[in-house]
Amino acid sequence: MKKIILSASLFITAISWGQNVPKVDFTTANASIRFDIAEHMVIGEITYQFQVNELTDSIKIDAKNMMIQGVKLNGQTPKYHYDKKKIAFTQGFNKGENSVTISYKTNPKQALYYVGSGTDLQIWTQGQGKYTSHWLPSFDDYNEKVIFNTKVTFDTGYDVISNGTLDGKTVNGKQTTWSYKMSKPMSSYLVMMAIGKFEKKTEKSSSGITIENYIRPVDASKYASTYQKTKKIFDFLERQIGFNYPWQIYRNIPVEDFMYGGMENTTSTIFSSDYVVDAVGVNDRDYINVNAHEMAHQWFGDLVTAKEPKDHWLQEGFATYYALLAERELYGPDKFYWELYEMAELITKDAKNNKNTAVYSEKATTVTYYQKGAWMLFYLSTQIGETNFNTSVRNFLNKYAFKNASTQDFLNEVVGVVPNFNVDNFKQNWLENKSFNTKDALYLIENSPIVKSYLGVLNVQPKAFDIKKEELLKLLKDHNTPTETKREIVFQLHEVPYEQAKEFYQTIAKSNNIKVRQALVQIVNEIPQDFKTEYTQFLDDQSYITKEIALKNLWMQDENGRAALLDKTSTWKGFNDHNLRITWLMLALATENYKNDKKAHWYSELENFAYNKYNSNVRTNAINALWFLNKYDSNTLPHLVNALVHHDSRFQKFGKDAIIRLCEKKEFREYFTKLIPYLPQDEHDALKKLMESI
């Protein structure tokens, strides 16, 4: 989140920080939204009720790049100033109750996205930080909390989801209006919409809260593996936090081409469809941690919101920590301590490579806010005791519910429960320290069985293989050895000749441990001839990652067996990014004399995956596969240009880096230069700007 400049000229509601009561307090919003799909236009009207407690020079509402079609202030048309960023009123409001209605149109460049087309169309929002004002006149300052009620009109046959409870649907021919109501206030960045075609299943928490889980009809068979343990996580968080779920309903909605893992909009989490997995994919990737993290945000971030950017860790650190606690509840302490160990390694590396790594900071890294923030809470819990920690958190939530709070506010609650705790020392050595107290951190977890076992094997890594061989083999064969330790043993075989490590290979091949088997597939660059039969069995593992690596390696190293290999794997699809299907098409097209009559069809199928009707992960996979067949295939070049205007910054970077690399050659520079006049305006502008910079 970007730094918010607290100067009088930029106040949204002219808050007087020296008093508990703001000069102007917006309380309720009633929004009506409809769409012009062809023009990607949002057409809306929003009415705010607000209280003027002390007369002020102006009142401002954020609204980015909108066409303001009408404004009514207390029923009258007022004078107002709009600079494409804020609507400012200098007169027409009275002390006491007021209302303002704004009618507008906008084609938002961010925060609201159109993905897919036709019956696969989805529209969803992502307002994290202060971006909701790109599609809804609202407040970039997250200290302004409002009760938002929303009506959304869209084509009948689609599902429309927004914050709060569904207050009714009205069908009017080809259009349906969905009405949602909230009962408590929230910051504007948590306002959401998600529109698409979904199936929905509901369950009830132990406290009676309805949990709605959505899924696309095409993914209906993946429901159970995607949403496993959702109710258990919800029930655990309520018990652990000790504060009842603060809203009336909870939802999970997966969307295509989401740029993050998930987003904790109040009552309704939007998450990436990458986490929609079947019974095989769930062994490589599951929604559990993201699910728990976003759910925890309903308390930490949505109920109590950080007061300033430097307090951001109160949201992300808490959500990350409580997701760990949820996994401890589901899987036991080994999982918990292993995650803490991995986080400690990540934080230590981040502290060495980056400057802004103090948790209590406006510009800290993502790792700092999330993982280091979680470690701060774990450390605090060990110092004051888990019971005192839980009491402090519960008191904090009770005191600041539906408000904003600072780091000091939280620490005050800790001191209130544990008066002798040296809070200044904790703040200085942990929250404000740019380095990470790795030694002190490891001391807290190194005696847990899983970390102790792993560190024991890690410590023998420098030893010659002959010296450690028997010890490692014994551990590998022991059913009680943790998976993480066994994987480390496998990784230590990386440069050991097969003849010396043969018994290890055979032991792993007979193992049912998917993660250990996967580790072996990852380190084997050249398949030993007398291990080929066992290696081929990895194709049958219940892991799409293992399958893909094994398929590529077998194809590369056994030219005579390629046809049989491709026949065996011809129906594979893989994750939602079609990783196995795209890999198969690439290898089939590269195999000489393999069903040549079908290759034109296969090429068309592969190239089709590069078009923008697919999400960016699919497109990236397809473009890379086409380059494997024909380096910088000319059919991929327009897709690189299209990537420049994609909403996902990772795909933007992929396209940008590729174009820059290509333009080192004269013929490609000429190609892209000549292409510019024929492009749609957004691609035209993006490519022209890039070409001028290289």
Side-chain angles (χ1 to χ4, degrees), residues 341-361 363-376 430-431 433-438:
Y341 174 79
E342 287 195 311
M343 284 183 182
E345 281 197 325
L346 184 64
I347 297 162
T348 300
K349 182 179 179 181
D350 187 58
K352 289 179 180 178
N353 297 336
N354 296 291
K355 294 181 180 179
N356 299 311
T357 57
V359 170
Y360 187 51
S361 170
K363 297 180 179 180
T365 65
T366 298
V367 169
T368 300
Y369 284 138
Y370 287 68
Q371 285 81 7
K372 193 175 182 182
W375 248 102
M376 299 303 97
W430 291 87
L431 296 182
N433 191 348
K434 291 184 178 181
S435 63
F436 182 59
N437 301 322
T438 306

Side-chain angles (χ1 to χ4, degrees), residues 34-50:
R34 56 191 176 91
F35 295 86
D36 180 337
I37 296 299
E39 298 295 328
H40 281 191
M41 189 73 69
V42 175
I43 305 166
E45 181 177 282
I46 186 165
T47 298
Y48 282 105
Q49 305 296 326
F50 63 97

Side-chain angles (χ1 to χ4, degrees), residues 69 100 224 281 456 468 480 577 633 673:
Q69 298 187 300
V100 60
K468 63 185 179 182
N480 295 317
D577 64 4
D633 184 330
T673 301

